[in-house]
Amino acid sequence: MGTKSNIVLIASIMVIFGVIMIPANISAESNHVTVTPINADVSLEKTTTTMTVPEDNKLPWGIVRGEASEVAERYPIIIQMYKGEDPVHFAQVDAKGDGSYEYKFRVRSVDSNTGEFVNIFQGDYTVKIYKVIPNTNDLA
Protein backbone atom coordinates (compact mmCIF):
# COMPACT_ATOMS: atom_id res chain seq x y z
CA MET A 1 0.00 0.00 0.00
CA GLY A 2 1.50 3.36 -1.03
CA THR A 3 2.01 6.37 1.21
CA LYS A 4 -0.82 8.30 -0.47
CA SER A 5 -3.39 5.62 0.39
CA ASN A 6 -2.05 5.20 3.93
CA ILE A 7 -3.94 8.27 5.24
CA VAL A 8 -4.79 6.85 8.68
CA LEU A 9 -6.82 3.74 8.95
CA ILE A 10 -8.27 1.90 6.01
CA ALA A 11 -10.56 -0.85 7.13
CA SER A 12 -11.98 -2.43 4.04
CA ILE A 13 -14.71 -4.84 4.93
CA MET A 14 -15.43 -6.94 1.85
CA VAL A 15 -18.59 -8.79 0.87
CA ILE A 16 -19.60 -10.09 4.31
CA PHE A 17 -16.90 -8.09 6.07
CA GLY A 18 -14.66 -11.14 5.97
CA VAL A 19 -11.49 -9.46 4.72
CA ILE A 20 -10.02 -6.32 6.26
CA MET A 21 -7.20 -4.27 4.74
CA ILE A 22 -5.23 -1.90 6.95
CA PRO A 23 -2.02 0.13 6.97
CA ALA A 24 1.01 -1.59 8.45
CA ASN A 25 1.08 0.49 11.65
CA ILE A 26 -2.61 0.11 12.59
CA SER A 27 -4.28 -3.19 13.29
CA ALA A 28 -7.84 -4.42 12.91
CA GLU A 29 -9.38 -7.86 13.03
CA SER A 30 -12.69 -9.18 11.82
CA ASN A 31 -14.13 -10.87 14.86
CA HIS A 32 -17.75 -11.80 14.47
CA VAL A 33 -20.62 -11.57 11.98
CA THR A 34 -24.22 -12.34 12.96
CA VAL A 35 -27.37 -12.22 10.87
CA THR A 36 -30.73 -11.77 12.62
CA PRO A 37 -34.00 -11.99 10.64
CA ILE A 38 -36.21 -8.91 10.94
CA ASN A 39 -39.10 -10.11 8.77
CA ALA A 40 -39.70 -12.26 5.67
CA ASP A 41 -37.88 -9.78 3.44
CA VAL A 42 -34.82 -8.51 5.34
CA SER A 43 -32.32 -9.37 8.08
CA LEU A 44 -29.89 -7.34 10.20
CA GLU A 45 -26.23 -8.13 9.64
CA LYS A 46 -23.95 -7.09 12.52
CA THR A 47 -20.18 -7.18 12.16
CA THR A 48 -18.00 -6.64 15.22
CA THR A 49 -14.34 -5.87 14.68
CA THR A 50 -11.45 -4.49 16.72
CA MET A 51 -9.56 -1.34 15.68
CA THR A 52 -6.21 -0.41 17.22
CA VAL A 53 -4.80 3.10 16.72
CA PRO A 54 -1.15 3.35 17.82
CA GLU A 55 0.01 5.94 20.34
CA ASP A 56 2.48 7.40 17.81
CA ASN A 57 -0.11 7.85 15.03
CA LYS A 58 0.63 10.96 12.91
CA LEU A 59 -2.20 10.73 10.38
CA PRO A 60 -5.43 12.79 10.73
CA TRP A 61 -8.15 10.58 9.18
CA GLY A 62 -9.62 7.13 9.57
CA ILE A 63 -11.86 5.45 7.02
CA VAL A 64 -14.32 2.60 7.36
CA ARG A 65 -15.14 1.14 3.94
CA GLY A 66 -17.36 -1.71 2.88
CA GLU A 67 -17.07 -3.33 -0.52
CA ALA A 68 -19.95 -3.98 -2.89
CA SER A 69 -22.46 -6.40 -1.40
CA GLU A 70 -26.16 -7.01 -1.01
CA VAL A 71 -27.82 -4.23 0.99
CA ALA A 72 -31.56 -3.65 1.38
CA GLU A 73 -32.63 -0.40 -0.28
CA ARG A 74 -33.52 2.64 1.84
CA TYR A 75 -31.70 1.38 4.95
CA PRO A 76 -28.54 3.20 6.13
CA ILE A 77 -25.34 1.53 7.36
CA ILE A 78 -24.76 2.21 11.09
CA ILE A 79 -21.19 2.37 12.45
CA GLN A 80 -20.60 2.41 16.21
CA MET A 81 -17.22 2.74 17.95
CA TYR A 82 -16.64 1.86 21.61
CA LYS A 83 -13.64 2.25 23.92
CA GLY A 84 -14.24 -0.66 26.27
CA GLU A 85 -17.94 -0.41 27.13
CA ASP A 86 -18.09 3.37 26.57
CA PRO A 87 -19.63 4.67 23.32
CA VAL A 88 -17.17 6.99 21.57
CA HIS A 89 -18.44 7.70 18.06
CA PHE A 90 -21.55 6.79 16.04
CA ALA A 91 -22.20 7.38 12.34
CA GLN A 92 -24.83 6.67 9.71
CA VAL A 93 -23.95 6.40 6.02
CA ASP A 94 -25.91 5.48 2.93
CA ALA A 95 -24.86 2.59 0.72
CA LYS A 96 -23.96 3.43 -2.86
CA GLY A 97 -25.79 1.77 -5.75
CA ASP A 98 -23.48 -1.26 -5.68
CA GLY A 99 -23.90 -1.76 -1.92
CA SER A 100 -20.50 -0.30 -0.99
CA TYR A 101 -20.06 2.48 1.55
CA GLU A 102 -17.40 4.75 3.03
CA TYR A 103 -17.19 6.74 6.26
CA LYS A 104 -14.28 9.10 6.95
CA PHE A 105 -13.61 10.35 10.50
CA ARG A 106 -10.95 12.35 12.38
CA VAL A 107 -8.52 10.42 14.54
CA ARG A 108 -6.17 13.35 15.14
CA SER A 109 -6.79 17.09 15.31
CA VAL A 110 -5.17 20.38 16.30
CA ASP A 111 -6.18 22.14 19.54
CA SER A 112 -7.23 25.64 18.44
CA ASN A 113 -6.10 27.15 21.76
CA THR A 114 -2.61 25.64 21.99
CA GLY A 115 -1.87 24.67 18.37
CA GLU A 116 -0.79 21.22 19.56
CA PHE A 117 -1.89 17.94 18.00
CA VAL A 118 -4.53 15.96 19.89
CA ASN A 119 -5.22 12.28 19.33
CA ILE A 120 -8.97 11.81 19.24
CA PHE A 121 -8.61 8.03 18.88
CA GLN A 122 -5.79 6.13 20.54
CA GLY A 123 -5.63 2.51 21.64
CA ASP A 124 -8.14 -0.31 21.16
CA TYR A 125 -11.74 0.15 20.02
CA THR A 126 -14.62 -2.17 19.26
CA VAL A 127 -16.32 -1.24 15.99
CA LYS A 128 -19.84 -2.51 15.29
CA ILE A 129 -21.25 -2.20 11.78
CA TYR A 130 -24.94 -2.81 11.15
CA LYS A 131 -26.57 -3.18 7.76
CA VAL A 132 -29.93 -4.43 6.59
CA ILE A 133 -29.63 -7.13 3.95
CA PRO A 134 -32.23 -8.90 1.80
CA ASN A 135 -33.11 -12.41 2.91
CA THR A 136 -31.89 -15.21 0.68
CA ASN A 137 -33.92 -17.94 2.41
CA ASP A 138 -37.66 -18.17 2.87
CA LEU A 139 -38.65 -17.62 6.50
CA ALA A 140 -42.24 -18.76 6.05
Side-chain angles (χ1 to χ4, degrees), residues 49-53 81-84 86 88 119-127:
T49 189
T50 302
M51 172 179 74
T52 302
V53 180
M81 299 178 191
Y82 296 86
K83 180 92 170 171
D86 298 327
V88 176
N119 289 331
I120 300 166
F121 287 85
Q122 183 176 318
D124 295 331
Y125 296 85
T126 299
V127 180

Side-chain angles (χ1 to χ4, degrees), residues 1-138:
M1 196 176 286
T3 305
K4 292 180 184 177
S5 64
N6 191 10
I7 294 180
V8 172
L9 166 67
I10 301 174
S12 177
I13 303 171
M14 302 175 141
V15 186
I16 309 176
F17 305 99
V19 178
I20 293 187
M21 295 173 48
I22 53 172
N25 63 339
I26 296 177
S27 65
E29 293 180 19
S30 181
N31 290 335
H32 190 64
V33 177
T34 59
V35 177
T36 305
I38 296 172
N39 59 37
D41 298 322
V42 294
S43 293
L44 181 65
E45 180 181 276
K46 174 185 169 187
T47 300
T48 304
T49 189
T50 302
M51 172 179 74
T52 302
V53 180
E55 203 173 297
D56 61 349
N57 175 52
K58 302 290 185 224
L59 303 171
W61 295 102
I63 300 172
V64 176
R65 289 184 181 149
E67 294 297 322
S69 64
E70 289 292 317
V71 183
E73 289 185 37
R74 300 185 315 265
Y75 291 95
I77 313 286
I78 306 296
I79 301 167
Q80 300 176 345
M81 299 178 191
Y82 296 86
K83 180 92 170 171
E85 297 295 318
D86 298 327
V88 176
H89 189 79
F90 291 175
Q92 175 177 308
V93 295
D94 290 326
K96 298 175 187 170
D98 64 356
S100 66
Y101 62 92
E102 178 177 289
Y103 176 66
K104 187 176 182 180
F105 59 99
R106 298 282 302 187
V107 295
R108 187 175 165 106
S109 191
V110 176
D111 184 315
S112 60
N113 295 324
T114 66
E116 296 198 19
F117 288 101
V118 177
N119 289 331
I120 300 166
F121 287 85
Q122 183 176 318
D124 295 331
Y125 296 85
T126 299
V127 180
K128 297 178 183 180
I129 302 164
Y130 297 88
K131 70 179 188 176
V132 178
I133 60 173
N135 286 336
T136 56
N137 300 329
D138 290 333

